[in-house]
Every structure is written in structure tokens, then in C-alpha cells.
């Protein structure tokens, strides 16, 4: 009898561990995809530019992406806090309060998007500081001007992904970034 009780407890412990591992993977896998998606978008852009057979275009896209990444990562860092706050609200069963953090990410991303647009006039100066050839610099500026339009939406999608992760629904955001990569 005691042996059977021990075996039952052991089986329950194993089932519980398996369930915990499944839960962790269910949250982790979409997050890995979410955090890899932006790099994949940038890689696809670079691959498309390499087909132009222009070393100037290849040099331009890499430095332009670096400048834009440095700027957008600040906003992305701020909005990822939504995950923590939304998760705390979920735990307290304050669902309405959790939704407010999703809206905050939209407001912050709008702020970074507007500031990004204000960078338009200084883009030539930023790339001139690097000291690239005029042909490369012109392509850097052209790429950056178009890519700056995506800063707000990029930060918003990062913030909303953090929100959905915080409320334990990371698959919603994962499907969104997969669709963005397919459209790109």
C-alpha cells in the first residue's frame, strides 16, 4: 500500500513537471520568434539589396539599419515594460488596468515615431559624420527616410507583443510578426 502511494506521488510529480515544461515552452517559443522577427526583416532587406549588384547600396543599407536600430531600440526597451505590468494586473485579475498598458505602448510608439520624423532634416548630417562616399551617403539617406516611417509601427508592435506576452497570449503577436515577414 505504501509503495503504491509512493508510486502515485511520483507519477503526479512527473505529470506536474511535464505540465510546467509545456507551459514554459508555450510562452517561450512565440517569444523566440517575436524577438527574431525584426532581425529577419532586416536580413531580407539586405538580401534584396544585394541583388542590385551595387556595393554602394549594400554599404548604405547596413549603416542605415544600424542608425535606425540604435534609435528604435530605445523605444522598444521602454515599451517592453508593458509585459511586466500587464502580467501583474493579470495576476491581480485587474483586466481593465492591464489593457491600459497596451494603450501606453501605442502612445509611446507614437512619440518615438513623431521624433523619428523630426530626424528627417538631420539625416544627411548623420551620415556625413560617418564619412562615406557621396553615392553611399545618398543611398543611406534615401533608405533611412523610408525606414523612419516604420519606427512608430515597429515600436508599437513590440509593445503590443509585450502586452500579449504579459497576459499569456504570445501567439497573437507571433502570428502578427510572421505575417509581417511574409509581407516584407
Amino acid at each position: 500500500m505504501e509503495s503504491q502511494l509512493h508510486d502515485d506521488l511520483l507519477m503526479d510529480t512527473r505529470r506536474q513537471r511535464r505540465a510546467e515544461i509545456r507551459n514554459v515552452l508555450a510562452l517561450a517559443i512565440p517569444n523566440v520568434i517575436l524577438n527574431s522577427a525584426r532581425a529577419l526583416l532586416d536580413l531580407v532587406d539586405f538580401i534584396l539589396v544585394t541583388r542590385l549588384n551595387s556595393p554602394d547600396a549594400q554599404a548604405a543599407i547596413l549603416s542605415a539599419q544600424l542608425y535606425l536600430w540604435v534609435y528604435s531600440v530605445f523605444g522598444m526597451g521602454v515599451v517592453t515594460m508593458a509585459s511586466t505590468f500587464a502580467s501583474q494586473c493579470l495576476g491581480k485579475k485587474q483586466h481593465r488596468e492591464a489593457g491600459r498598458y497596451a494603450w501606453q505602448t501605442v502612445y509611446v510608439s507614437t512619440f518615438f515615431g513623431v521624433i523619428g520624423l523630426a530626424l528627417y532634416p538631420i539625416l544627411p548630417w548623420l551620415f556625413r559624420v560617418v564619412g562615406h562616399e557621396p553615392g553611399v551617403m545618398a543611398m543611406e539617406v534615401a533608405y533611412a527616410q523610408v525606414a523612419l516611417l516604420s519606427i512608430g509601427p515597429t515600436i508599437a508592435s513590440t509593445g503590443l507583443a509585450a502586452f500579449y506576452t504579459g497576459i499569456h497570449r504570445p501567439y497573437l503577436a507571433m502570428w502578427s510578426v510572421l505575417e509581417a515577414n511574409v509581407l516584407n
Side-chain angles (χ1 to χ4, degrees), residues 1-6:
M1 177 82 163
E2 191 173 303
S3 175
Q4 180 64 34
L5 182 60
H6 180 267

Side-chain angles (χ1 to χ4, degrees), residues 3-37:
S3 175
Q4 180 64 34
L5 182 60
H6 180 267
D7 289 345
D8 288 345
L9 285 174
L10 188 60
M11 289 300 289
D12 285 344
T13 302
R14 287 182 182 162
R15 277 190 212 108
Q16 187 177 6
R17 284 185 188 152
R18 286 186 191 126
E20 288 172 1
I21 289 170
R22 280 193 300 273
N23 288 339
V24 167
L25 288 175
L27 290 173
I29 290 171
N31 279 308
V32 169
I33 292 170
L34 283 167
N35 291 318
S36 304

